[in-house]
Amino acid sequence: DPESPLRRGFAGAEWFPVNKSFRLRARAVPLEHPRTRELAYSVAATEPIVTEYVLVFEIGGVWYSVEPVVEPRRLLIQFCDLTNGELTSAVGRYLYAPLPHAGRTIVDFNQALTPGYVYNPNVISLVPPKRNTLYVRVEAGEKLPVRNRARVLPERARASG
């Protein structure tokens, strides 16, 4: 609806300055046995997916691994970090990365996006799995809109494992 108060009041997204140190080379490390996990949504719905590998990369001298969702033409990487609930969505963020080629890909956190529910409470969003928590401040990508920083966001964060 072009006349929606949400749309008319949208001032645009706010982004961290591009930080080259958050554009990372990652290795796709196959799991010994594919793992089935639940893909969780903000409305308490889930669906099973199979994870065949993890992506391993280094941030600030610390090694992390995340489980991507493999889509037909790209990877979906959901994650949480230490900016959640302060400068970014309390539930976490997500980004897309190229499918691995020869066991490698690029994970660019400068491309991290805010879940849609932050802009419209009627939008269903994915919730990152706990294992995709990065214990570092990823000050890259899209920020939480200023109008949302003063209010409490949904509590379903990090509900899936």
Side-chain angles (χ1 to χ4, degrees):
D1 175 12
E3 299 305 315
S4 160
L6 285 172
R7 183 171 180 181
R8 294 185 71 176
F10 182 63
E14 187 179 350
W15 296 75
F16 288 100
V18 172
N19 184 336
K20 292 180 184 179
S21 67
F22 283 113
R23 186 175 193 276
L24 309 168
R25 293 184 182 140
R27 286 184 302 120
V29 178
L31 298 173
E32 188 173 336
H33 303 286
R35 184 173 101 82
T36 300
R37 72 171 173 96
E38 295 294 316
L39 191 60
Y41 294 90
S42 57
V43 293
T46 63
E47 70 177 286
I49 62 163
V50 175
T51 300
E52 296 183 5
Y53 55 87
V54 295
L55 297 177
V56 178
F57 50 84
E58 183 181 9
I59 301 175
V62 177
W63 288 93
Y64 293 94
S65 67
V66 295
E67 286 185 10
V69 176
V70 180
E71 296 182 343
R73 294 191 173 113
R74 62 189 179 181
L75 301 175
L76 168 64
I77 302 167
Q78 307 160 264
F79 70 97
C80 294
D81 71 276
L82 299 181
T83 66
N84 295 151
E86 177 192 349
L87 296 174
T88 62
S89 164
V91 170
R93 293 181 288 163
Y94 67 97
L95 61 90
Y96 295 100
L99 291 169
H101 177 71
R104 306 225 180 255
T105 191
I106 298 293
V107 175
D108 189 349
F109 287 100
N110 293 290
Q111 302 297 317
L113 299 167
T114 297
Y117 84 87
V118 168
Y119 297 103
N120 182 337
N122 299 314
V123 172
I124 296 172
S125 297
L126 291 167
V127 177
K130 287 180 186 178
R131 81 153 335 276
N132 284 8
T133 299
L134 308 174
Y135 295 95
V136 64
R137 293 179 64 82
V138 178
E139 293 184 359
E142 189 176 3
K143 291 182 179 181
L144 186 64
V146 172
R147 67 179 169 78
N148 292 60
R149 291 187 201 156
R151 65 183 176 89
V152 177
L153 296 173
E155 293 296 319
R156 189 152 191 292
R158 296 166 239 199
S160 69

Short mmCIF file of all heavy atoms in Angstrom, two decimals, residues 19-25 56-65 107 109 134-139:
data_model
loop_
_atom_site.label_atom_id
_atom_site.label_comp_id
_atom_site.label_asym_id
_atom_site.label_seq_id
_atom_site.Cartn_x
_atom_site.Cartn_y
_atom_site.Cartn_z
N ASN A 19 33.69 -1.82 5.95
CA ASN A 19 34.89 -2.20 6.69
C ASN A 19 35.48 -3.44 6.01
O ASN A 19 34.92 -4.53 6.12
CB ASN A 19 34.53 -2.49 8.14
CG ASN A 19 35.74 -2.80 9.00
OD1 ASN A 19 36.78 -3.23 8.50
ND2 ASN A 19 35.59 -2.61 10.29
N LYS A 20 36.58 -3.26 5.31
CA LYS A 20 37.19 -4.36 4.55
C LYS A 20 37.56 -5.55 5.42
O LYS A 20 37.62 -6.67 4.94
CB LYS A 20 38.41 -3.87 3.78
CG LYS A 20 38.08 -2.92 2.66
CD LYS A 20 39.34 -2.47 1.95
CE LYS A 20 38.99 -1.45 0.88
NZ LYS A 20 40.18 -0.97 0.18
N SER A 21 37.78 -5.31 6.71
CA SER A 21 38.17 -6.43 7.58
C SER A 21 37.00 -7.38 7.85
O SER A 21 37.20 -8.45 8.40
CB SER A 21 38.77 -5.91 8.89
OG SER A 21 37.78 -5.25 9.66
N PHE A 22 35.78 -6.99 7.46
CA PHE A 22 34.62 -7.88 7.60
C PHE A 22 34.23 -8.53 6.27
O PHE A 22 33.16 -9.11 6.15
CB PHE A 22 33.43 -7.15 8.22
CG PHE A 22 33.55 -6.95 9.70
CD1 PHE A 22 33.70 -5.70 10.24
CD2 PHE A 22 33.55 -8.04 10.56
CE1 PHE A 22 33.82 -5.51 11.61
CE2 PHE A 22 33.66 -7.88 11.93
CZ PHE A 22 33.81 -6.61 12.45
N ARG A 23 35.11 -8.45 5.29
CA ARG A 23 34.95 -9.21 4.04
C ARG A 23 35.95 -10.36 4.13
O ARG A 23 37.16 -10.15 4.00
CB ARG A 23 35.23 -8.35 2.82
CG ARG A 23 34.93 -9.06 1.52
CD ARG A 23 35.11 -8.11 0.34
NE ARG A 23 34.55 -8.67 -0.86
CZ ARG A 23 35.17 -9.52 -1.67
NH1 ARG A 23 36.41 -9.90 -1.39
NH2 ARG A 23 34.58 -9.99 -2.74
N LEU A 24 35.43 -11.56 4.40
CA LEU A 24 36.27 -12.67 4.82
C LEU A 24 36.29 -13.82 3.83
O LEU A 24 35.26 -14.15 3.22
CB LEU A 24 35.76 -13.19 6.18
CG LEU A 24 35.57 -12.11 7.25
CD1 LEU A 24 34.81 -12.68 8.42
CD2 LEU A 24 36.91 -11.57 7.68
N ARG A 25 37.43 -14.46 3.74
CA ARG A 25 37.53 -15.72 3.00
C ARG A 25 37.11 -16.83 3.96
O ARG A 25 37.56 -16.87 5.10
CB ARG A 25 38.95 -15.96 2.53
CG ARG A 25 39.38 -14.97 1.50
CD ARG A 25 40.76 -15.31 0.98
NE ARG A 25 41.13 -14.30 0.02
CZ ARG A 25 42.32 -13.79 -0.08
NH1 ARG A 25 43.30 -14.22 0.70
NH2 ARG A 25 42.58 -12.87 -0.98
N VAL A 56 33.99 -21.80 7.82
CA VAL A 56 34.97 -21.47 8.85
C VAL A 56 35.74 -20.24 8.38
O VAL A 56 36.21 -20.19 7.24
CB VAL A 56 35.94 -22.65 9.10
CG1 VAL A 56 36.99 -22.28 10.13
CG2 VAL A 56 35.15 -23.88 9.54
N PHE A 57 35.84 -19.23 9.27
CA PHE A 57 36.54 -17.99 8.93
C PHE A 57 37.11 -17.38 10.22
O PHE A 57 36.75 -17.78 11.32
CB PHE A 57 35.61 -17.00 8.23
CG PHE A 57 34.31 -16.79 8.96
CD1 PHE A 57 34.20 -15.88 9.99
CD2 PHE A 57 33.18 -17.52 8.58
CE1 PHE A 57 33.00 -15.69 10.66
CE2 PHE A 57 31.97 -17.33 9.24
CZ PHE A 57 31.88 -16.42 10.29
N GLU A 58 37.98 -16.40 10.03
CA GLU A 58 38.65 -15.76 11.16
C GLU A 58 38.24 -14.29 11.25
O GLU A 58 38.21 -13.58 10.24
CB GLU A 58 40.17 -15.85 10.96
CG GLU A 58 40.98 -15.29 12.09
CD GLU A 58 42.48 -15.39 11.85
OE1 GLU A 58 42.89 -15.74 10.73
OE2 GLU A 58 43.23 -15.07 12.79
N ILE A 59 37.92 -13.84 12.47
CA ILE A 59 37.67 -12.42 12.74
C ILE A 59 38.54 -12.04 13.93
O ILE A 59 38.41 -12.61 15.01
CB ILE A 59 36.19 -12.14 13.08
CG1 ILE A 59 35.25 -12.56 11.95
CG2 ILE A 59 36.00 -10.65 13.40
CD1 ILE A 59 33.77 -12.41 12.29
N GLY A 60 39.42 -11.09 13.72
CA GLY A 60 40.24 -10.58 14.81
C GLY A 60 41.06 -11.63 15.53
O GLY A 60 41.20 -11.58 16.75
N GLY A 61 41.57 -12.60 14.80
CA GLY A 61 42.40 -13.63 15.40
C GLY A 61 41.65 -14.79 16.03
O GLY A 61 42.26 -15.69 16.59
N VAL A 62 40.32 -14.77 15.95
CA VAL A 62 39.49 -15.85 16.51
C VAL A 62 38.79 -16.55 15.35
O VAL A 62 38.23 -15.91 14.46
CB VAL A 62 38.45 -15.29 17.51
CG1 VAL A 62 37.55 -16.40 18.04
CG2 VAL A 62 39.14 -14.57 18.66
N TRP A 63 38.80 -17.89 15.39
CA TRP A 63 38.14 -18.69 14.36
C TRP A 63 36.70 -18.96 14.74
O TRP A 63 36.41 -19.30 15.89
CB TRP A 63 38.89 -20.00 14.13
CG TRP A 63 40.19 -19.77 13.44
CD1 TRP A 63 41.41 -19.59 14.02
CD2 TRP A 63 40.40 -19.64 12.05
NE1 TRP A 63 42.37 -19.36 13.06
CE2 TRP A 63 41.77 -19.39 11.83
CE3 TRP A 63 39.55 -19.71 10.93
CZ2 TRP A 63 42.31 -19.21 10.57
CZ3 TRP A 63 40.10 -19.54 9.67
CH2 TRP A 63 41.46 -19.29 9.50
N TYR A 64 35.80 -18.80 13.77
CA TYR A 64 34.37 -19.05 13.96
C TYR A 64 33.89 -19.99 12.87
O TYR A 64 34.49 -20.08 11.80
CB TYR A 64 33.57 -17.75 13.85
CG TYR A 64 33.84 -16.77 14.95
CD1 TYR A 64 34.78 -15.76 14.81
CD2 TYR A 64 33.14 -16.86 16.16
CE1 TYR A 64 35.03 -14.86 15.83
CE2 TYR A 64 33.38 -15.96 17.19
CZ TYR A 64 34.32 -14.97 17.02
OH TYR A 64 34.56 -14.08 18.03
N SER A 65 32.78 -20.68 13.16
CA SER A 65 32.13 -21.47 12.13
C SER A 65 30.63 -21.21 12.21
O SER A 65 30.09 -20.99 13.30
CB SER A 65 32.42 -22.97 12.28
OG SER A 65 31.83 -23.49 13.45
N VAL A 107 32.53 -14.42 2.64
CA VAL A 107 31.46 -14.00 3.54
C VAL A 107 31.71 -12.52 3.81
O VAL A 107 32.69 -12.15 4.44
CB VAL A 107 31.49 -14.81 4.86
CG1 VAL A 107 30.45 -14.28 5.83
CG2 VAL A 107 31.27 -16.29 4.58
N PHE A 109 30.33 -9.42 5.60
CA PHE A 109 29.40 -8.89 6.60
C PHE A 109 28.97 -7.46 6.30
O PHE A 109 28.00 -6.98 6.87
CB PHE A 109 30.01 -9.01 8.00
CG PHE A 109 30.03 -10.42 8.49
CD1 PHE A 109 31.19 -11.18 8.43
CD2 PHE A 109 28.89 -11.00 9.02
CE1 PHE A 109 31.21 -12.49 8.88
CE2 PHE A 109 28.90 -12.32 9.47
CZ PHE A 109 30.06 -13.06 9.40
N LEU A 134 28.33 -15.13 16.90
CA LEU A 134 29.72 -14.67 16.82
C LEU A 134 29.96 -13.78 18.03
O LEU A 134 29.29 -12.78 18.21
CB LEU A 134 29.94 -13.89 15.52
CG LEU A 134 29.51 -14.60 14.24
CD1 LEU A 134 29.65 -13.66 13.04
CD2 LEU A 134 30.30 -15.88 14.04
N TYR A 135 30.92 -14.15 18.85
CA TYR A 135 31.20 -13.41 20.08
C TYR A 135 32.17 -12.27 19.81
O TYR A 135 33.26 -12.20 20.37
CB TYR A 135 31.68 -14.36 21.17
CG TYR A 135 30.58 -15.33 21.54
CD1 TYR A 135 30.52 -16.59 20.95
CD2 TYR A 135 29.57 -14.96 22.42
CE1 TYR A 135 29.48 -17.46 21.26
CE2 TYR A 135 28.53 -15.83 22.72
CZ TYR A 135 28.50 -17.07 22.14
OH TYR A 135 27.47 -17.92 22.43
N VAL A 136 31.73 -11.38 18.91
CA VAL A 136 32.49 -10.22 18.49
C VAL A 136 31.47 -9.19 17.99
O VAL A 136 30.35 -9.56 17.62
CB VAL A 136 33.50 -10.60 17.37
CG1 VAL A 136 32.80 -11.07 16.11
CG2 VAL A 136 34.46 -9.48 17.06
N ARG A 137 31.83 -7.93 18.01
CA ARG A 137 30.96 -6.88 17.48
C ARG A 137 31.17 -6.80 15.98
O ARG A 137 32.22 -6.34 15.53
CB ARG A 137 31.26 -5.54 18.15
CG ARG A 137 30.90 -5.53 19.64
CD ARG A 137 31.23 -4.20 20.29
NE ARG A 137 30.45 -3.11 19.76
CZ ARG A 137 29.20 -2.80 20.15
NH1 ARG A 137 28.62 -3.51 21.09
NH2 ARG A 137 28.57 -1.79 19.61
N VAL A 138 30.18 -7.21 15.22
CA VAL A 138 30.25 -7.12 13.76
C VAL A 138 29.63 -5.78 13.36
O VAL A 138 28.44 -5.68 13.10
CB VAL A 138 29.54 -8.31 13.08
CG1 VAL A 138 29.60 -8.17 11.56
CG2 VAL A 138 30.17 -9.63 13.52
N GLU A 139 30.48 -4.75 13.37
CA GLU A 139 30.02 -3.40 13.03
C GLU A 139 30.18 -3.21 11.53
O GLU A 139 31.05 -2.47 11.04
CB GLU A 139 30.76 -2.36 13.86
CG GLU A 139 30.39 -2.48 15.33
CD GLU A 139 31.00 -1.41 16.21
OE1 GLU A 139 31.75 -0.55 15.72
OE2 GLU A 139 30.71 -1.45 17.43
#
